[in-house]
């Protein structure tokens, strides 16, 4: 299995959202990541940016990938922080940082920086996936963006953030999923469930996952733990177990794309190649 959503951070590097009273107020290292995955049968992890707030985080993720190739299979940088960069310069930055994806996040698509959204065509040109982590209408937005850029792979984080089933009806989300599934370059990431669906019976969470897999098919779904964000609710193992519970109705052959081969295709996973004598550390701000 490839865990397509995990984070690492060093508090000395920033991360203003991690306040002293937060349960996440500690650094998480590659060693912690390895220990959290012990015995889970993982063949790699995709590191995702954690809102450090500057461009240097993308190079930090690249450095971690180069230093731990047996543990970290790829990395997803933060597109928001590149707002204002000219497309030609951004293209050069992507060639240097070599991310497998770039994530755009915010309350809504309109709330993200317009000059960051303007860089999406460069991602399409380079074959770098766009990840969306939007609080509102993420699934529908993903389909719209993917339709405008048919050569772009758009990954929707955390099932598009459906409402907690204890407090709201997911009917609208279900319809958005059905509609988005008609756009072939949209990929759904089964992640974040341990946190977002806290208190919901596991079988009801599994029904959300099953709905997505039925609509999109196993070849357009991936899984992620959202470790260590998940830790206040459970371990990395518990998070992945909940994410995969909705796959119970699939055959072993059908599970394989969800658990591994779709991630390999979407993130263009391959052994990292770097001509520098040592991993490159940059602190562009």
């Amino acid at each position: 299995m490839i865990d397509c959503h995990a984070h690492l951070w060093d508090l000395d590097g920033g991360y203003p959202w991690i306040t002293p009273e937060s349960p996440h107020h500690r650094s998480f290292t590659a060693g912690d990541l390895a220990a959290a995955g012990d015995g889970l049968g993982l063949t790699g992890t995709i590191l995702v940016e954690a809102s450090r707030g500057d461009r240097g985080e993308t190079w930090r993720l690249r450095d971690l990938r180069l230093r731990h190739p047996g543990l970290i299979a790829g990395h997803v940088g933060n597109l928001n922080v590149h707002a204002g960069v000219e497309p030609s310069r951004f293209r050069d930055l992507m060639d240097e940082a070599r991310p497998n994806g770039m994530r755009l996040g915010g309350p809504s698509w309109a709330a993200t920086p317009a000059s960051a959204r303007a860089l999406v065509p460069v991602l399409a040109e380079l074959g770098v996936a766009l990840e969306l982590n939007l609080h509102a209408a993420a699934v529908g937005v993903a389909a719209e963006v993917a339709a405008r850029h048919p050569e772009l792979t758009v990954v929707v984080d955390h099932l598009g953030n459906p409402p907690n089933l204890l407090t709201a009806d997911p009917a609208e989300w279900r319809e958005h999923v059905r509609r988005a599934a008609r756009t072939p370059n949209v990929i759904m990431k089964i992640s974040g469930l341990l946190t977002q669906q806290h208190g919901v019976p596991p079988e009801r969470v599994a029904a959300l996952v099953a709905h997505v897999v039925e609509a999109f098919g196993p070849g357009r779904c991936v899984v992620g733990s959202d470790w260590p964000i998940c830790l206040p609710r459970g371990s990395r193992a518990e998070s992945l177990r909940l994410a995969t519970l909705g796959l119970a109705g699939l055959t072993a052959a059908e599970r394989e794309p969800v658990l591994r081969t779709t991630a390999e295709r979407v993130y263009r996973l391959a052994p990292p190649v770097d001509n520098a004598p040592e991993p490159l550390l940059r602190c562009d701000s």
Side-chain angles (χ1 to χ4, degrees):
M1 182 193 304
I2 296 174
D3 181 350
C4 291
H5 205 100
H7 307 279
L8 294 178
W9 58 73
D10 183 345
L11 288 185
D12 291 338
Y15 305 97
W17 63 273
I18 308 177
T19 57
E21 63 272 14
S22 167
H24 301 108
H25 192 259
R26 52 157 288 198
S27 294
F28 288 89
T29 68
D32 295 324
L33 179 69
D38 189 41
L40 301 183
L42 298 174
T43 58
T45 298
I46 304 295
L47 288 185
V48 178
E49 59 87 17
S51 298
R52 193 173 93 170
D54 64 78
R55 298 173 198 161
E57 185 182 19
T58 301
W59 276 269
R60 177 57 178 162
L61 294 176
R62 175 177 177 265
D63 177 57
L64 286 164
R65 179 187 178 191
L66 292 173
R67 291 181 184 277
H68 306 280
L71 176 68
I72 299 166
H75 65 286
V76 174
N78 187 334
L79 186 59
N80 294 56
V81 298
H82 293 279
V85 176
E86 290 296 321
S88 60
R89 176 54 182 152
F90 181 67
R91 187 177 295 104
D92 292 340
L93 292 174
M94 292 297 94
D95 286 341
E96 295 172 13
R98 302 175 189 175
N100 303 83
M102 294 294 288
R103 185 160 77 150
L104 192 65
S108 67
W109 175 256
T112 61
S115 57
R117 299 196 301 268
L119 299 173
V120 168
V122 178
L123 299 181
E125 173 192 334
L126 298 177
V128 177
L130 171 69
E131 294 218 6
L132 293 180
N133 184 31
L134 305 176
H135 302 169
V139 180
V141 168
E144 293 171 6
V145 174
R148 289 199 298 270
H149 304 280
E151 69 280 23
L152 176 71
T153 298
V154 181
V155 180
V156 184
D157 283 0
H158 310 326
L159 290 187
N161 300 310
N164 183 285
L165 299 183
L166 296 181
T167 60
D169 188 331
E172 183 178 9
W173 170 85
R174 288 177 177 273
E175 181 57 27
H176 286 166
V177 167
R178 283 189 286 266
R179 291 178 182 175
R182 301 169 191 160
T183 308
N185 47 323
V186 177
I187 304 295
M188 290 291 279
K189 185 184 287 188
I190 305 166
S191 58
L193 298 173
L194 198 62
T195 300
Q196 295 186 355
Q197 299 300 326
H198 176 63
V200 177
E203 62 273 14
R204 294 189 65 193
V205 180
L208 291 179
V209 175
H211 174 70
V212 164
V213 176
E214 180 181 8
F216 278 78
R220 291 168 57 200
C221 298
V222 297
V223 297
S225 66
D226 200 23
W227 179 94
I229 298 296
C230 67
L231 287 179
R233 303 304 184 194
S235 67
R236 190 180 186 189
E238 290 168 325
S239 180
L240 288 171
R241 190 177 305 120
L242 183 61
T244 57
L245 190 61
L247 310 180
L250 302 181
T251 66
E254 290 169 335
R255 288 167 62 93
E256 184 69 3
V258 186
L259 300 180
R260 183 177 65 84
T261 59
T262 301
E264 292 174 341
R265 172 174 56 84
V266 166
Y267 293 111
R268 303 175 304 146
L269 299 184
V273 176
D274 198 289
N275 295 323
E278 296 181 356
L280 176 64
L281 282 173
R282 290 188 51 166
C283 296
D284 292 10
S285 59

